[in-house]
Amino acid sequence: MSRLLDPSSLDRSDAMQARRVRGVVGQSLAVFAILLAPVGTASAATPPSIEKVVQALTGYFRSLPDFQRRDLLSQQHVVGAL
């Protein structure tokens, strides 16, 4: 049996220190969780009205040369519109 597992080599204060460490770690994790809680619950800004979105997109696509109403959109078009 190794010295670490031999009960005669353990002291009562070892068990108390382990409990204290677990308690401090548990309290630290609880405080950390409380501090990070607002990060996950932050509210997003209110989105613009659909009318404003339609106006902005219509203006953008009208400004493109040779763009027809039924043309397919490419990724470049979408990135430019954003």
Side-chain angles (χ1 to χ4, degrees), residues 23-37:
V24 169
V25 169
Q27 290 172 351
S28 299
L29 290 175
V31 168
F32 189 66
I34 290 170
L35 291 174
L36 287 181

Side-chain angles (χ1 to χ4, degrees), residues 34-75:
I34 290 170
L35 291 174
L36 287 181
V39 172
T41 60
S43 62
T46 57
S49 68
I50 191 69
E51 290 83 19
K52 288 187 177 186
V53 173
V54 169
Q55 287 176 350
L57 290 175
T58 303
Y60 171 75
F61 286 112
R62 283 186 180 161
S63 71
L64 296 176
D66 297 328
F67 189 82
Q68 300 295 318
R69 182 176 183 164
R70 301 204 190 274
D71 286 349
L72 294 176
L73 296 178
S74 70
Q75 187 174 2

